[in-house]
Amino acid sequence: GVCILMVGETMEKEEMRDMMVGDPIPLISKFRLTYTMLLNLARIRNTRPEEVVVQSFLMFQQQSEQPGLRKKLQELKQKYNSVLSSNVLAD
């Protein structure tokens, strides 16, 4: 991609360095499929609403986060079970 940087006189050297070589800000989709959008899509094209949802960037983000969330869920379940079993043994 192309980046055009317009630096003002008020920008500090550290701030510019962080912007150029620092960690990028994650792109989070704000796309929300509404009923009106679905009606317009059904009227304009011969598409199924499921296709629009599957092809959206929000769906892509959610699917890419699933493995990490499932792993975290398993870890929390194990921790919960160990705490529960230690409480039962203590009684």
Side-chain angles (χ1 to χ4, degrees):
V2 176
C3 176
I4 299 173
L5 179 63
M6 298 178 69
V7 181
E9 293 177 17
T10 59
M11 184 175 278
E12 297 293 326
K13 185 177 180 179
E14 292 83 22
E15 186 180 0
M16 185 182 348
R17 182 181 50 78
D18 289 343
M19 184 171 40
M20 296 299 291
V21 296
D23 292 331
I25 298 172
L27 178 63
I28 300 171
S29 176
K30 299 292 181 185
F31 174 76
R32 299 290 181 258
L33 191 61
T34 64
Y35 183 70
T36 305
M37 288 176 163
L38 291 174
L39 288 176
N40 287 334
L41 285 170
R43 185 173 50 97
I44 295 171
R45 297 189 231 157
N46 287 335
T47 60
R48 295 189 346 243
E50 296 87 7
E51 292 174 1
V52 176
V53 172
V54 169
Q55 292 177 1
S56 74
F57 185 65
L58 178 62
M59 183 65 134
F60 168 76
Q61 285 179 317
Q62 290 174 345
Q63 287 178 343
S64 64
E65 291 176 356
Q66 276 186 357
L69 292 173
R70 287 176 196 233
K71 183 179 178 184
K72 188 172 182 177
L73 177 64
Q74 289 295 352
E75 292 169 358
L76 290 173
K77 281 182 179 180
Q78 289 173 354
K79 188 175 180 179
Y80 171 77
N81 288 333
S82 67
V83 169
L84 189 63
S85 63
S86 65
N87 286 342
V88 170
L89 294 175
D91 288 342

